[in-house]
Amino acid sequence: MNDKKERDPSQLPSALNNFSELTSRFGDSLPLIFLDFDGTLAPIVEHHADAAITSEMRELVKKLSQKFPLAVVSGRGLADVSRKMNLPELYYAGSHGFEISGPNNFSKDHQDAEKVLPIFEEIEPMLKDRLEGISGVEFERKKFTLAVHYRKVRGQEENEVHKIVLDTVKRYPEITKAEGKKVIEIRPSIDWHKGKAVEFLKTELSRENNAFSIYVGDDVTDEDAFKYVKNNLGILVGEHGIKTYADYKVEDIDEVKLLFEKLLKWRNE
Ligand SMILES: [Mg+2]
């Protein structure tokens, strides 16, 4: 944990307009870069499965990864996010870091999370059955999480979705739920999140003790990285409706691209 304070996203300085101040925070070190996927590299879409990164963005991330140690950290399952990125040379943390992979067949699953897998086998058919009457609910099973998407559910029925999911989850102390943008994510109740995944990846990506890092993300789950990771600059993309521990902001994905271009230029100078 560091000593950062929460702020309203509107109070954050722009990462683009304050870029030289931002880079002065790196000191003498080459920062590690951690990137969220949805809403940061790929636009949020109505159908979660349809999200895609443009070839332009993929090319930029590839260039960045050749100049900075870099990893993609996502709530998506590991197989899903690495397939969508299609850059096999990168490190990935999927399911908020419960599963991690990297080049040269590097792979690590969270041991305690594996023990919870049978519960997901049990609750998935149970929830499908209980939510059958509400149209627009979509399930996304990843190895270590079950996401219940309700973006397409009629407004007045959203509460019912929450009620049913909560009622099911509270029967099992081994699992818990987390809220995202129009999604409820059921996951192992283990104290593990994107911030801890980043701390772990830092030890993989750098020989330095406590290397400096940049984390770019748009969602509430990225706050765990902004808040928890030491020696880190948090850059929030857009707004997520709550206060933030980020240090800077960019407005949208187009500004993420501009930020990457600036970082590449800085590195080449
Ligand atoms: Mg996101």
Side-chain angles (χ1 to χ4, degrees):
M1 184 80 70
N2 48 43
D3 53 3
K4 285 182 175 166
K5 290 203 172 61
E6 290 185 289
R7 278 188 280 184
D8 193 87
S10 64
Q11 293 175 319
L12 293 179
S14 155
L16 298 179
N17 298 340
N18 301 278
F19 189 73
S20 55
E21 178 200 293
L22 186 154
T23 53
S24 72
R25 305 267 294 265
F26 301 170
D28 290 331
S29 52
L30 176 68
L32 314 183
I33 298 182
F34 295 97
L35 305 172
D36 168 48
F37 181 75
D38 290 272
T40 299
L41 300 178
I44 305 267
V45 288
E46 191 175 6
H47 300 270
H48 190 67
D50 296 342
I53 176 171
T54 61
S55 50
E56 188 192 3
M57 183 64 103
R58 179 179 290 113
E59 198 51 40
L60 265 174
V61 174
K62 186 177 178 169
K63 279 187 190 157
L64 264 187
S65 73
Q66 290 161 350
K67 300 287 183 183
F68 300 85
L70 184 147
V72 174
V73 182
S74 177
R76 285 182 185 266
L78 178 62
D80 184 20
V81 67
S82 51
R83 190 172 52 240
K84 283 188 185 298
M85 285 299 299
N86 197 18
L87 291 172
E89 64 272 35
L90 302 191
Y91 277 87
Y92 295 94
S95 303
H96 302 290
F98 282 121
E99 18 173 17
I100 287 172
S101 75
N104 306 316
N105 293 320
F106 174 78
S107 140
K108 191 177 190 303
D109 281 353
H110 197 291
Q111 301 279 299
D112 293 336
E114 293 208 316
K115 295 180 192 146
V116 186
L117 291 177
I119 292 174
F120 285 104
E121 301 305 329
E122 199 175 315
I123 62 159
E124 188 176 355
M126 194 190 288
L127 276 172
K128 280 185 173 159
D129 189 50
R130 295 189 69 191
L131 289 164
E132 204 180 35
I134 300 175
S135 94
V137 179
E138 282 176 9
F139 292 88
E140 184 197 2
R141 175 63 202 276
K142 312 172 221 181
K143 189 170 181 186
F144 291 112
T145 57
L146 173 63
V148 182
H149 296 271
Y150 59 89
R151 189 171 292 278
K152 290 191 286 174
V153 169
R154 288 192 305 158
Q156 64 265 45
E157 286 184 314
E158 286 184 2
N159 265 343
E160 189 62 15
V161 175
H162 278 96
K163 230 176 80 189
I164 289 171
V165 172
L166 177 64
D167 181 60
T168 307
V169 168
K170 74 181 183 195
R171 296 184 202 174
Y172 300 90
E174 301 91 339
I175 54 172
T176 186
K177 69 175 182 67
E179 307 278 340
K181 287 178 180 169
K182 298 285 183 188
V183 59
I184 309 166
E185 201 143 51
I186 302 165
R187 54 202 241 186
S189 41
I190 295 167
D191 185 21
W192 187 257
H193 49 63
K194 282 177 162 181
K196 292 198 176 187
V198 168
E199 289 284 2
F200 170 76
L201 278 166
K202 277 192 178 190
T203 64
E204 284 298 321
L205 290 170
S206 171
R207 278 187 218 146
E208 237 177 280
N209 199 3
N210 196 17
F212 190 83
S213 58
I214 302 173
Y215 186 103
V216 190
D218 73 307
D219 209 340
V220 175
T221 56
D222 297 310
E223 288 297 326
D224 288 324
F226 297 151
K227 184 176 173 181
Y228 184 87
V229 180
K230 289 184 275 306
N231 213 10
N232 179 69
L233 260 188
I235 301 177
L236 178 67
V237 183
E239 293 196 9
H240 48 30
I242 60 165
K243 288 192 170 176
T244 182
Y245 283 90
D247 302 277
Y248 292 93
K249 68 175 172 186
V250 292
E251 295 300 332
D252 50 28
I253 292 182
D254 284 334
E255 286 203 1
V256 172
K257 273 191 227 163
L258 295 174
L259 174 69
F260 290 173
E261 280 161 6
K262 276 179 177 282
L263 283 166
L264 284 168
K265 192 160 168 269
W266 173 82
R267 183 73 174 102
N268 289 331
E269 271 167 5

